[in-house]
Amino acid sequence: ELLGGARLCLVYKGSVHGMTANKFHAKCDGQGPVLVVAYNNAGFVFGGFSSQGFRSQVNWVRDEQAFLFSLNTGNKKDTPLKIPVKNPDYAICSNYGADFGGGALRINNGKVTAAASDHYEFNATDLHGTNTALVECEVYRVEDKDGYLEFPWRDVSWNYEERSRLMDLIKKFTPSVSDISQVRALMIGPVGAGKSSFYNSVSSIFRGHVTNQAVTGSKATSVTRKYRAYPVKEGQTGKPLPIIICDSMGLEEGTGTGLAVADIPKILDGHIPDKYQFNPAATIESNAAGYISSPGLKDKIHCVVFVLDACKVAILSETMEQQLRDLRDKNNEYGVPQLLLLTKVDELCPHVAKDVQNVYRSMAVEKQIRTAAARFGFPVTCVLPVKNYHFELELDCSTDILILHTLQQIMRLSEHYFDNEEVV
């Protein structure tokens, strides 16, 4: 009702990025139209909208469409309170954090102040119930509600013939190195990004029905506690396909939690056995049970796949961003080709949720792919969208094709690894 069905993209979350004015402007300046949403201890949800956005280099921003709002009060039940700007010349002030009307509503350093002024006319009690203790502040970029490209920016055939073609290519793939029958791809990403779900989705396609072999979940800490090297089989008892998907612990922010950057070299070099039990508080030692002291080329990782939730690219904490950059740098040192996978694109864009074939016509998906590529130093060609199976009971042709394209890219990049190793 407030924005006429426009799409919202989260760009700032105070509890993740910090509540200071500097942190606010670092994430929110130059985003264009934005919606600021604040939550207080009394359960009020309130904030403001600016069609011009925030720019810290200027004092005042003129905005005829700006307004304040509260979801808790209104003239009718379930109707939000909307307070339009009274003096558009002073709609937005950029001297602090989120500031509408130079103090009419100011959210700054984790605190909120509100008072009627010449710029916005309202009763502060209606806005937030006089409770000024914030528990969270979020800022959403407001995007065109259509958000739909006339033509796709990547050409994909969405039919069963293409699905069969890709499956045959993968089944018949033969690594260029004579003594290697399977390439190994390591999945790395934050907790809940969808690493294990990706393996389950791949396995589902080749088994012919939705399966959940790898343990998945929605806990705040990693569900995956063991290093797993999952072969992909054709059918229930069929022969293994030429790819092994290696699943690791999820990345976490706390010290002594999640996958450690220090463990990556030993994983890349092939020292870690299948079903190795991770200990987040200690790095892998050579005397660990099953430790492979002299790994061959077949034991090493040939491609690393970073997995990120497409909905959370813009709100990753600085700590998590740095972890991902450190891991990318470490992989570069070892010369391992890398791919970036953006999962949950159906949650990012309603057009994709309606039909996966819209993925390359979605402005939101395209923007997120380019944002992720720039943030983590990937070529756009190495950033792929995917939708894992997570609630479906039956397979979907279009979902399969996205996943199969990713497998095809993993195999192609693995060949680059063998080229770099100069193996004959």
Side-chain angles (χ1 to χ4, degrees), residues 25-63:
H25 284 289
K27 289 291 182 181
C28 302
D29 280 5
Q31 292 285 352
V34 292
L35 183 74
V36 178
V37 184
Y39 306 79
N40 69 13
N41 280 335
F44 277 72
V45 181
F46 59 97
F49 166 77
S50 171
S51 66
Q52 302 300 311
F54 293 93
R55 301 190 294 272
S56 56
Q57 69 271 25
V58 297
N59 290 333
W60 293 99
V61 177
R62 176 180 172 80
D63 188 352

Side-chain angles (χ1 to χ4, degrees), residues 73-118:
T73 54
N75 294 328
K76 300 178 182 178
K77 185 179 180 181
D78 298 327
T79 300
L81 173 68
K82 183 175 180 179
I83 305 162
V85 64
K86 186 177 178 181
N87 188 341
D89 288 333
Y90 299 94
I92 305 297
C93 178
S94 293
N95 289 335
Y96 300 93
D99 191 333
F100 293 82
L105 174 62
R106 178 180 295 162
I107 300 169
N108 190 55
N109 294 325
K111 298 179 180 179
V112 59
T113 58
S117 68
D118 292 337

Side-chain angles (χ1 to χ4, degrees), residues 20 116 126 141 164 213 332 397:
T20 67
D126 292 337
R141 182 174 60 247
S164 297
Q213 180 181 352
N332 285 334
C397 178

Side-chain angles (χ1 to χ4, degrees), residues 75-236:
N75 294 328
K76 300 178 182 178
K77 185 179 180 181
D78 298 327
T79 300
L81 173 68
K82 183 175 180 179
I83 305 162
V85 64
K86 186 177 178 181
N87 188 341
D89 288 333
Y90 299 94
I92 305 297
C93 178
S94 293
N95 289 335
Y96 300 93
D99 191 333
F100 293 82
L105 174 62
R106 178 180 295 162
I107 300 169
N108 190 55
N109 294 325
K111 298 179 180 179
V112 59
T113 58
S117 68
D118 292 337
H119 313 317
Y120 293 88
E121 188 174 328
F122 63 97
N123 186 322
T125 302
D126 292 337
L127 193 68
H128 56 56
T130 71
N131 186 307
T132 61
L134 280 188
V135 295
E136 185 61 276
C137 178
E138 298 170 339
V139 178
Y140 294 84
R141 182 174 60 247
V142 179
E143 299 180 347
D144 184 352
K145 63 181 179 181
D146 293 328
Y148 198 61
L149 299 170
E150 184 177 359
F151 301 103
W153 59 280
R154 278 179 179 163
D155 291 325
V156 175
S157 297
W158 303 101
N159 52 54
Y160 282 99
E161 290 76 14
E162 176 68 0
R163 179 181 184 271
S164 297
R165 184 188 72 84
L166 290 168
M167 290 182 70
D168 287 340
L169 281 175
I170 292 164
K171 292 175 187 177
K172 296 175 182 177
F173 174 80
T174 302
S176 59
V177 181
S178 59
D179 59 343
I180 302 293
S181 60
Q182 294 170 298
V183 298
R184 285 180 174 252
L186 173 66
M187 315 299 288
I188 297 178
V191 171
K195 299 181 290 80
S196 302
S197 294
F198 178 73
Y199 166 74
N200 287 335
S201 298
V202 170
S203 181
S204 297
I205 294 171
F206 288 96
R207 293 201 177 204
H209 59 88
V210 176
T211 66
N212 288 283
Q213 180 181 352
V215 178
T216 61
S218 56
K219 293 171 62 177
T221 56
S222 182
V223 173
T224 303
R225 310 301 294 181
K226 293 181 178 181
Y227 176 76
R228 291 307 317 269
Y230 291 112
V232 181
K233 294 182 179 180
E234 182 181 358
Q236 185 69 28

Side-chain angles (χ1 to χ4, degrees), residues 299-330:
D299 302 307
K300 295 184 178 183
I301 297 299
H302 309 129
C303 179
V304 171
V305 182
F306 286 89
V307 183
L308 295 178
D309 182 338
C311 302
K312 297 181 179 179
V313 170
I315 62 166
L316 287 173
S317 69
E318 292 180 4
T319 301
M320 184 57 68
E321 280 195 30
Q322 190 58 52
Q323 277 196 66
L324 290 166
R325 290 193 186 98
D326 290 343
L327 287 167
R328 181 144 163 71
D329 290 343
K330 184 62 67 176

